[in-house]
Amino acid sequence: MSTEEFTALLVFATAMSFTPGPNTTLSAALGANFGLRRTLGFIVAVPTGWTLMMLASGLGLGALVLALPGANLVLKTLGVAYLLWLAWKLAGAGQLGEADPNRLRIGFWQGVTLQFVNIKAWMFALALAAGWVTSAGGLPASNPGQRLAIVCAVMPVFALTSNLMYALVGSVLRQWLAHGRRLLWFNRTMATLLLATAVWMVGA
């Protein structure tokens, strides 16, 4: 992988990782509701699940699954349904942590699973597989295994950093949100972002 390709990879990773999406929205919401320590499981789950997806895409399994008749529709349906459920749970949460009976619980394995129904994550992984792993400068790559290893080493760092940053912002706001109905409206705003993502997924 040339210096130019690696630089382009870093720019692409920055744009995809730090722009709002299901993962970053949930990281901010979980950080605000439960604090940074309780959100670490989800933060680690995001790069873990995405790396597994990247490996599958780099080996051709991701494109094969999406090429199956109806597979893309099933994936979208599951992703949209999961986001709607998360938005519903989040919209009803108005108290911090364990005090709220409607609290949103997303642990490590739920975070890993979310990556496999996240259309944005799939698009990211498949684009990297086609643009950086199997090809170089528009030609078939002579070292796809090495290029896949580089992608799988670099990208999780961006995923971890972006979700940690969003969760940190949420946790910093935690004390301020504890007053009045601020947390409820914050959670409803985050839920609205998840709904907007679900709408985008339908049209993707």
Side-chain angles (χ1 to χ4, degrees):
M1 184 178 293
S2 67
T3 303
E4 291 77 12
E5 285 182 302
F6 189 69
T7 301
L9 176 63
L10 295 182
V11 172
F12 183 57
T14 300
M16 292 297 292
S17 299
F18 287 89
T19 52
N23 293 324
T24 53
T25 299
L26 285 174
S27 290
L30 292 172
N33 283 270
F34 300 107
L36 184 60
R37 184 179 65 84
R38 290 275 305 278
T39 311
L40 289 176
F42 178 75
I43 294 172
V44 174
V46 173
T48 301
W50 188 87
T51 300
L52 293 174
M53 181 189 297
M54 186 66 237
L55 287 171
S57 298
L59 296 173
L61 297 178
L64 178 61
V65 170
L66 293 181
L68 293 175
N72 192 38
L73 178 60
V74 171
L75 182 63
K76 282 187 178 182
T77 302
L78 290 175
V80 169
Y82 193 31
L83 286 179
L84 292 177
W85 180 81
L86 291 174
W88 174 70
K89 293 292 288 184
L90 188 56
Q95 301 176 44
L96 290 176
E98 296 296 339
D100 193 345
N102 292 317
R103 59 190 179 276
L104 183 68
R105 290 181 174 178
I106 304 180
F108 177 80
W109 291 113
Q110 290 90 340
V112 170
T113 303
L114 175 61
Q115 307 316 303
F116 289 89
V117 292
N118 183 348
I119 293 296
K120 181 182 178 182
W122 272 111
M123 290 174 62
F124 187 20
L126 291 173
L128 286 171
W132 276 274
V133 175
T134 60
S135 67
L139 299 174
S142 60
N143 57 343
Q146 182 185 58
R147 297 168 74 88
L148 178 59
I150 293 174
V151 170
C152 288
V154 172
M155 295 303 101
V157 176
F158 281 81
L160 182 68
T161 303
S162 63
N163 283 278
L164 180 61
M165 183 190 75
Y166 275 84
L168 183 60
V169 171
S171 65
V172 168
L173 293 173
R174 183 172 165 81
Q175 187 173 7
W176 181 79
L177 291 171
H179 299 281
R181 294 170 61 85
R182 293 173 182 173
L183 181 66
L184 177 62
W185 287 109
F186 174 83
N187 285 336
R188 287 179 176 176
T189 300
M190 295 296 102
T192 300
L193 291 177
L194 290 179
L195 287 175
T197 303
V199 172
W200 173 82
M201 286 176 63
V202 171

